Amino acid sequence: MSQFPEDLIQQFVKMTGLSSRDAERELSKSLQEINSRHGSKAYSSIARNTKYGVSDYPRFLDSGYIQKYTIRVALKCQSITVWRKFECPSNISLRHLADLILELMGWENEHLNHIMVGRDICYVPYYQHDPDMSWMEPYFQEEYMLSDILTQKGRTVRMEYDFGDSWMHEIRLSSVDEYAVDEPQNIVFKGGKGACPPEDCGGVWGYQELQNLNEKSQSGKRLSAEEKDRLDWYGIDKNFDPESFDKDYCKEVCDSFSVRSDVDLSVVDDKESLNAISIST
């Protein structure tokens, strides 16, 4: 029997392109190097924590090396330009990152989301995971940090929100910097543009139809009762500005997400060892 969990081996296979046997051999070699530097307890097992909930999850994970990441998140929608930019520590958990992005963009976080790296790796919130509905092997957002999936300037990953409307976001690592001595490792809002589309409006095409109706209304053309009701339902009136967003609110969101929590991170030691294994190879 292998000394490594199968999901860890398969993740390493996807990262390196090695066969399962060669991947396990490389993991064993890396483990020996880690043990020689940090002692025999550097790695024991990668055990998933079953206690993550809607609010009780790790905001930041232990890491021996934390950098200042500048992240730009853009909504993939040709009819509008919506993006937000912020600084954050590289050890922010993917779960905290996903919640932060949804809040900054203006979504209500009432639907499912996942972060996708390539075609085969999918990170989901633990409390949203349904094994019977998975189409790929999931990894839990609570157990991975941002630096696990973005390591170089210019790299991107995708985040999908609301699998019905399928709002796709591109998460780009715009810059990587070092923190100055005694510099607070906070989340800092840097800028943005565009209003978030209404929830449950039918995705990119549904929102485009709402924009067309609004332009029709603003030009003085007559709308049917059904068309008027549709605009009213989604809160789109003559004062609606698709290019506006509340900068002060975004700053407050970043400030609130900077606060560390006292959640028990029983998975952290194991997670740190996984990072060390990945880095050393």
Side-chain angles (χ1 to χ4, degrees), residues 109 115 168 187:
N109 201 358
I115 296 174
M168 198 67 68
I187 300 172

mmCIF file with all atom_site columns, all heavy atoms in Angstrom, residues 109 115 168 187:
data_model
loop_
_atom_site.group_PDB
_atom_site.id
_atom_site.type_symbol
_atom_site.label_atom_id
_atom_site.label_alt_id
_atom_site.label_comp_id
_atom_site.label_asym_id
_atom_site.label_entity_id
_atom_site.label_seq_id
_atom_site.pdbx_PDB_ins_code
_atom_site.Cartn_x
_atom_site.Cartn_y
_atom_site.Cartn_z
_atom_site.occupancy
_atom_site.B_iso_or_equiv
_atom_site.pdbx_formal_charge
_atom_site.auth_seq_id
_atom_site.auth_comp_id
_atom_site.auth_asym_id
_atom_site.auth_atom_id
_atom_site.pdbx_PDB_model_num
ATOM 1  N N   . ASN A 1 109 ? -23.661 35.863 -3.447  1.00 0.00 ? 109 ASN A N   1
ATOM 2  C CA  . ASN A 1 109 ? -23.125 34.585 -2.950  1.00 0.00 ? 109 ASN A CA  1
ATOM 3  C C   . ASN A 1 109 ? -24.251 33.623 -2.567  1.00 0.00 ? 109 ASN A C   1
ATOM 4  O O   . ASN A 1 109 ? -24.183 32.936 -1.546  1.00 0.00 ? 109 ASN A O   1
ATOM 5  C CB  . ASN A 1 109 ? -22.186 34.808 -1.760  1.00 0.00 ? 109 ASN A CB  1
ATOM 6  C CG  . ASN A 1 109 ? -21.235 33.635 -1.555  1.00 0.00 ? 109 ASN A CG  1
ATOM 7  O OD1 . ASN A 1 109 ? -21.298 32.638 -2.278  1.00 0.00 ? 109 ASN A OD1 1
ATOM 8  N ND2 . ASN A 1 109 ? -20.370 33.750 -0.554  1.00 0.00 ? 109 ASN A ND2 1
ATOM 9  N N   . ILE A 1 115 ? -13.314 27.225 -8.404  1.00 0.00 ? 115 ILE A N   1
ATOM 10 C CA  . ILE A 1 115 ? -12.127 27.786 -9.031  1.00 0.00 ? 115 ILE A CA  1
ATOM 11 C C   . ILE A 1 115 ? -11.485 26.673 -9.842  1.00 0.00 ? 115 ILE A C   1
ATOM 12 O O   . ILE A 1 115 ? -11.272 25.569 -9.339  1.00 0.00 ? 115 ILE A O   1
ATOM 13 C CB  . ILE A 1 115 ? -11.145 28.333 -7.982  1.00 0.00 ? 115 ILE A CB  1
ATOM 14 C CG1 . ILE A 1 115 ? -11.794 29.508 -7.224  1.00 0.00 ? 115 ILE A CG1 1
ATOM 15 C CG2 . ILE A 1 115 ? -9.839  28.784 -8.643  1.00 0.00 ? 115 ILE A CG2 1
ATOM 16 C CD1 . ILE A 1 115 ? -10.960 30.013 -6.068  1.00 0.00 ? 115 ILE A CD1 1
ATOM 17 N N   . MET A 1 168 ? -18.405 33.679 -15.578 1.00 0.00 ? 168 MET A N   1
ATOM 18 C CA  . MET A 1 168 ? -17.009 33.269 -15.547 1.00 0.00 ? 168 MET A CA  1
ATOM 19 C C   . MET A 1 168 ? -16.112 34.470 -15.254 1.00 0.00 ? 168 MET A C   1
ATOM 20 O O   . MET A 1 168 ? -16.263 35.535 -15.853 1.00 0.00 ? 168 MET A O   1
ATOM 21 C CB  . MET A 1 168 ? -16.609 32.635 -16.880 1.00 0.00 ? 168 MET A CB  1
ATOM 22 C CG  . MET A 1 168 ? -15.349 31.809 -16.803 1.00 0.00 ? 168 MET A CG  1
ATOM 23 S SD  . MET A 1 168 ? -15.554 30.310 -15.787 1.00 0.00 ? 168 MET A SD  1
ATOM 24 C CE  . MET A 1 168 ? -16.688 29.358 -16.822 1.00 0.00 ? 168 MET A CE  1
ATOM 25 N N   . ILE A 1 187 ? -5.395  42.980 3.164   1.00 0.00 ? 187 ILE A N   1
ATOM 26 C CA  . ILE A 1 187 ? -6.013  43.002 1.837   1.00 0.00 ? 187 ILE A CA  1
ATOM 27 C C   . ILE A 1 187 ? -6.360  44.454 1.540   1.00 0.00 ? 187 ILE A C   1
ATOM 28 O O   . ILE A 1 187 ? -7.049  45.116 2.324   1.00 0.00 ? 187 ILE A O   1
ATOM 29 C CB  . ILE A 1 187 ? -7.273  42.123 1.801   1.00 0.00 ? 187 ILE A CB  1
ATOM 30 C CG1 . ILE A 1 187 ? -6.915  40.673 2.137   1.00 0.00 ? 187 ILE A CG1 1
ATOM 31 C CG2 . ILE A 1 187 ? -7.935  42.202 0.435   1.00 0.00 ? 187 ILE A CG2 1
ATOM 32 C CD1 . ILE A 1 187 ? -8.115  39.770 2.303   1.00 0.00 ? 187 ILE A CD1 1
#
